[in-house]
């Protein structure tokens, strides 16, 4: 959620996240996996135009922040993204 609001490309970090990710490298790995999962979403399969538009906007907002982080830290080029 932090990456959606902060489009600077800076890797967010809070000490409390260490329990989940270990360190910043673990967080970066988790963000890369999340980005790959988001790339699998096919909005064309949603039942109506309104849903497709809403989900499409949310995906663009979410992936913009993630992409900036992954590019800044040299991870983006290793990912296989379809969206």
């Amino acid at each position: 959620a932090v990456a959606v609001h902060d489009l600077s490309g800076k890797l967010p970090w809070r000490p409390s996240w260490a329990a989940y990710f270990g360190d910043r490298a673990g967080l970066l790995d988790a963000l890369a996996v999340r980005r790959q999962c988001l790339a699998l979403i096919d909005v064309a399969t949603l039942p109506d135009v309104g849903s497709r538009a809403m989900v499409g906007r949310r995906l663009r907002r979410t992936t913009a922040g993630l992409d900036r982080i992954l590019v800044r830290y040299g991870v983006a080029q290793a990912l296989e993204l379809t969206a």
Side-chain angles (χ1 to χ4, degrees), residues 44-62:
T45 62
L46 295 172
D48 61 81
V49 174
S51 294
R52 289 190 292 272
M54 180 188 65
V55 172
R57 280 191 306 272
R58 287 184 179 178
L59 278 173
R60 284 188 297 278
R61 252 192 334 257
T62 300

Side-chain angles (χ1 to χ4, degrees), residues 3-83:
V4 173
H5 301 290
D6 178 4
L7 297 178
S8 70
K10 182 180 176 198
L11 185 66
W13 183 254
R14 295 182 181 149
S16 62
W17 294 351
Y20 303 100
F21 305 110
D23 58 14
R24 288 175 175 84
L27 174 59
L28 194 55
D29 290 341
L31 292 176
V33 169
R34 178 172 171 83
R35 180 60 181 95
Q36 287 179 307
C37 291
L38 290 172
L40 299 175
I41 297 172
D42 183 2
V43 295
T45 62
L46 295 172
D48 61 81
V49 174
S51 294
R52 289 190 292 272
M54 180 188 65
V55 172
R57 280 191 306 272
R58 287 184 179 178
L59 278 173
R60 284 188 297 278
R61 252 192 334 257
T62 300
T63 58
L66 287 174
D67 288 348
R68 282 186 175 93
I69 292 169
L70 298 174
V71 166
R72 181 175 182 170
Y73 292 90
V75 177
Q77 60 273 22
L79 301 178
E80 294 183 25
L81 305 175
T82 58

